[in-house]
């Protein structure tokens, strides 16, 4: 089944299930703060592993103690799809194990 862009209302409704995530233009975004640069780098590696499993990749920015994730689906013109929420949900599940807030 091909991916379809979600409506603005669907995106807004689904974001209520993901505290800390927001819509920035046509992308879901979330910034995480971690205890150290090493912890942030470890989170980036773990996110990359999940992206490979899902075959869905996003923009990741590694900062001093931060990780910024920007997610959308390029194959549907950069809109938000169910696959973006799947990735965001997986990242939320693993981020607490890294001490992210």
């Amino acid at each position: 089944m091909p991916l379809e862009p979600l409506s603005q209302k669907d995106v807004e409704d689904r974001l209520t299930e993901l505290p800390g995530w927001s819509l920035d233009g046509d992308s879901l975004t979330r910034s995480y703060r971690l205890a150290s640069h090493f912890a942030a780098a470890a989170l980036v590696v773990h996110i990359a592993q999940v992206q490979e499993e899902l075959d869905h990749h996003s923009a990741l920015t590694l900062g001093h103690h931060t990780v910024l994730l920007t997610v959308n689906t390029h194959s549907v013109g950069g809109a938000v799809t169910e696959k973006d929420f799947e990735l965001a949900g997986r990242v939320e599940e693993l981020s607490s194990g890294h001490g992210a807030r």
Side-chain angles (χ1 to χ4, degrees):
M1 184 171 158
L3 287 174
E4 297 288 329
L6 296 174
S7 71
Q8 182 77 20
K9 181 171 180 355
D10 286 340
V11 171
E12 291 170 1
D13 289 347
R14 295 287 306 272
L15 278 172
T16 63
E17 303 165 16
L18 290 171
W21 286 83
S22 61
L23 185 63
D24 183 12
D26 290 332
S27 300
L28 301 179
T29 63
R30 173 77 153 94
S31 180
Y32 294 95
R33 179 105 177 121
L34 293 102
S36 68
H37 181 70
F38 185 80
L43 178 59
V44 166
V45 170
H46 202 164
I47 292 170
Q49 181 182 21
V50 170
Q51 290 174 335
E52 285 295 305
E53 289 172 15
L54 297 176
D55 191 27
H56 190 58
H57 303 86
S58 63
L60 279 169
T61 304
L62 173 62
H64 180 55
H65 286 209
T66 60
V67 173
L68 174 63
L69 185 65
T70 304
V71 184
N72 65 19
T73 303
H74 302 288
S75 63
V76 295
V80 175
T81 67
E82 183 61 39
K83 196 142 186 155
D84 300 309
F85 277 99
E86 182 180 6
L87 176 58
R90 292 276 305 272
V91 171
E92 274 303 298
E93 290 172 4
L94 67 88
S95 64
S96 62
H98 289 268
R101 56 183 202 280

